[in-house]
Amino acid sequence: MPQPDPISACLIIIGNEILSGRTQDANLAIIGGKCDALGIRLTEARVIADTETAIIDTVNTCRAQFTYVFTTGGIGPTHDDITAAAVARAFDVELLRNEAARKALDRYYEPKRLTEARLKMADIPAGARLIDNPVSGAPGFQLQNVFVLPGVPAIMEAMFAGLTDRLVGGDPIITDNVTTNLPESEIAADLSALQAHYPDISMGSYPYFRKGKLGVNLVLRGTDAARMKAAAAALMTAILRLGGEALHGSPT
Amino acid sequence: MPQPDPISACLIIIGNEILSGRTQDANLAIIGGKCDALGIRLTEARVIADTETAIIDTVNTCRAQFTYVFTTGGIGPTHDDITAAAVARAFDVELLRNEAARKALDRYYEPKRLTEARLKMADIPAGARLIDNPVSGAPGFQLQNVFVLPGVPAIMEAMFAGLTDRLVGGDPIITDNVTTNLPESEIAADLSALQAHYPDISMGSYPYFRKGKLGVNLVLRGTDAARMKAAAAALMTAILRLGGEALHGSPT
């Protein structure tokens, strides 16, 4: 097994609608991909309710434990959007009407449509650095290693793009796939031996059932392109030797 | 806000493929629905990597904090299926070849297909109570308040059905929806007042963009059917008074 990377991240997904499964989260996959490219290991995600206690406790636990913490959700205009206030309490700082955030809302909304409910989106913890929102005005913010982002995936993604110069990562993480028609249990021993031979590459085995066919998707993750290539080739060889079909690439 | 219910649950989703977003989790929604029906509040979900440290730490933190803990994933036959071993270590008990689990595998597999890799699925922490798998043989298990289930949603769901007599809940949680074409910020004040009037009902506001139309899905959750009905009616009235369209039911 590779040693844990010192540059880690945790995503905190805030919102009852995600927790109940009514809304399917899409931010984990987006942020996971961005972290890979930046060489940051997203090692945990937590889905929590939009209650003050849950947000305060989770933010404080995670910011002590991970290099970076991202939160999504709960920064809109309604009563259940309490992320900014709760993060202020987590850091024990005041929540203040932020002038730059107010101006960003001014630029986005027509004057008489900037209601009090919308102005609430300019209330930002003292000392926070804003994260620009190029899509819909209302900014996110950064307090130390915590980055507070909205829940709507397209907006979140556009805002994340403006963050990359604030995040220091390592070598980009590369993913590769080998697919086979052999059952998981028949490749288990070889896969185990290969994992031991390539401790710097994380190997995952995921059975799937698609288009009427059973198969296994073997996923390799690492940072060294040459080692990744050698590991994928070794895996292909092992599968062929066992009499299976081996396909380099994803099963979709 | 309603007082936190003493009967709570946390779902621990184990697996790098979920954490990377490559595979979309479906178990949160299934277990959330089951918990609602049983009157158990699923108040948190954690997605963690399939590493021993992550599983041990998360299981031990969560089993102390929640009434029930469910885990999904990592109980298959390959080297990255380490949930049973890690849970045994979390409880500081031995991992043993379980005779009843072995018999369950015997019934499912033809004799010569019960390979050593598959037999690994009969290794269960000492003292655990098995959870029958009516679909594919390999059982899950329960240790105190921790329920270890597989990651494949259809199998997980079939196994969960056999658990209901082991779970003690409260009044079933009911969900209702009101949809409107008004922007979230225009209903914010009324919604806030209504939430204050119905502290026993959790009200969530979720903007959506579907079939070319913007709107807001207002979700009510509570346990008292009469109160839920009254709250939904009050919400409809408030929206109509603001000049919006109000639809009782989900926007899909």
Side-chain angles (χ1 to χ4, degrees):
Chain A
M1 284 284 143
Q3 290 302 303
D5 196 289
I7 305 166
S8 62
C10 178
L11 170 61
I12 304 174
I13 300 166
I14 299 167
N16 292 333
E17 80 284 17
I18 306 284
L19 193 53
S20 72
R22 204 177 304 109
T23 300
Q24 186 73 61
D25 168 71
N27 291 321
L28 177 54
I30 297 170
I31 292 180
K34 306 274 184 200
C35 283
D36 279 358
L38 291 164
I40 294 167
R41 282 171 210 271
L42 185 65
T43 45
E44 187 164 332
R46 298 191 184 189
V47 187
I48 61 171
D50 31 34
T51 65
E52 196 178 50
T53 318
I55 299 171
I56 294 172
D57 290 353
T58 306
V59 165
N60 279 339
T61 303
C62 293
R63 71 190 175 98
Q65 200 177 330
F66 299 92
T67 314
Y68 299 112
V69 174
F70 305 104
T71 78
T72 57
I75 61 170
T78 53
H79 71 95
D80 57 339
D81 290 309
I82 61 168
T83 300
V87 170
R89 288 204 54 187
F91 280 86
D92 200 17
V93 299
E94 278 186 276
L95 185 73
L96 301 170
R97 183 66 42 101
N98 181 296
E99 201 41 45
R102 200 207 138 93
K103 281 184 183 155
L105 292 172
D106 270 339
R107 281 191 295 275
Y108 184 74
Y109 291 104
E110 293 163 47
K112 66 176 177 186
R113 298 195 72 87
L114 189 50
T115 56
E116 189 51 42
R118 283 182 172 140
L119 273 172
K120 174 171 168 274
M121 296 191 286
D123 292 344
I124 304 284
R129 181 175 171 192
L130 296 185
I131 301 171
D132 281 345
N133 176 345
V135 181
S136 57
F141 62 87
Q142 170 191 356
L143 258 175
Q144 296 174 22
N145 62 336
V146 177
F147 299 80
V148 175
L149 296 161
V152 179
I155 304 176
M156 189 287 295
E157 190 168 8
M159 290 169 69
F160 201 102
L163 276 188
T164 48
D165 62 335
R166 303 191 202 175
L167 301 167
V168 179
D171 293 329
I173 298 153
I174 317 162
T175 296
D176 198 4
N177 297 62
V178 171
T179 312
T180 178
N181 62 335
L182 289 179
E184 209 182 16
S185 55
E186 289 184 25
I187 52 167
D190 284 78
L191 190 60
S192 196
L194 272 175
Q195 175 69 84
H197 194 70
Y198 290 92
D200 54 323
I201 293 172
S202 141
M203 298 184 182
S205 166
Y206 309 110
Y208 68 86
F209 186 73
R210 222 167 299 180
K211 296 177 187 161
K213 283 190 175 175
L214 263 167
V216 179
N217 185 19
L218 300 159
V219 179
L220 311 180
R221 282 164 66 77
T223 54
D224 182 321
R227 294 272 297 166
M228 287 286 287
K229 206 167 168 180
L235 199 47
M236 300 278 289
T237 305
I239 292 165
L240 296 172
R241 201 172 42 223
L242 289 165
E245 290 167 25
L247 181 75
H248 194 182
S250 155
T252 44
Chain B
M1 282 287 143
Q3 290 303 304
D5 196 289
I7 304 165
S8 62
C10 178
L11 170 61
I12 304 174
I13 300 166
I14 300 166
N16 291 334
E17 79 284 17
I18 305 285
L19 193 54
S20 72
R22 204 176 307 110
T23 299
Q24 187 74 59
D25 168 71
N27 291 322
L28 177 54
I30 297 171
I31 291 180
K34 306 276 182 199
C35 283
D36 279 359
L38 291 164
I40 294 168
R41 282 174 210 270
L42 184 66
T43 46
E44 187 165 331
R46 299 190 184 189
V47 186
I48 62 170
D50 32 34
T51 65
E52 194 177 51
T53 318
I55 299 171
I56 293 172
D57 290 352
T58 306
V59 165
N60 278 338
T61 303
C62 293
R63 71 190 175 100
Q65 200 177 331
F66 300 92
T67 314
Y68 298 112
V69 173
F70 305 104
T71 78
T72 57
I75 61 170
T78 53
H79 71 96
D80 57 340
D81 291 308
I82 60 168
T83 300
V87 170
R89 289 205 56 185
F91 280 87
D92 201 17
V93 298
E94 277 187 277
L95 185 74
L96 302 171
R97 184 67 42 99
N98 181 296
E99 200 42 43
R102 199 207 140 92
K103 280 183 185 156
L105 292 172
D106 270 339
R107 280 191 297 275
Y108 184 74
Y109 292 103
E110 293 161 47
K112 66 178 176 184
R113 298 193 72 87
L114 189 50
T115 57
E116 189 51 41
R118 282 181 173 139
L119 272 172
K120 175 172 168 274
M121 298 190 285
D123 291 343
I124 304 283
R129 182 175 170 193
L130 295 186
I131 301 171
D132 281 345
N133 176 344
V135 181
S136 56
F141 61 88
Q142 170 192 358
L143 257 175
Q144 296 174 21
N145 62 336
V146 177
F147 298 80
V148 174
L149 297 161
V152 179
I155 303 175
M156 191 286 297
E157 190 167 9
M159 289 168 70
F160 201 102
L163 276 189
T164 49
D165 62 335
R166 305 191 202 176
L167 302 167
V168 178
D171 292 330
I173 298 154
I174 317 163
T175 296
D176 199 4
N177 296 62
V178 172
T179 311
T180 178
N181 62 335
L182 290 178
E184 209 181 16
S185 55
E186 288 183 25
I187 53 167
D190 284 77
L191 190 61
S192 197
L194 271 174
Q195 176 68 85
H197 194 70
Y198 290 92
D200 54 323
I201 293 172
S202 143
M203 299 185 181
S205 165
Y206 309 110
Y208 67 86
F209 185 73
R210 221 166 300 179
K211 295 177 187 161
K213 284 190 175 176
L214 264 167
V216 180
N217 185 20
L218 300 158
V219 179
L220 312 180
R221 282 164 66 79
T223 53
D224 182 321
R227 294 272 297 166
M228 286 284 289
K229 206 168 170 179
L235 198 47
M236 301 276 292
T237 306
I239 291 166
L240 296 172
R241 200 171 46 223
L242 290 165
E245 291 166 23
L247 181 75
H248 194 181
S250 153
T252 43

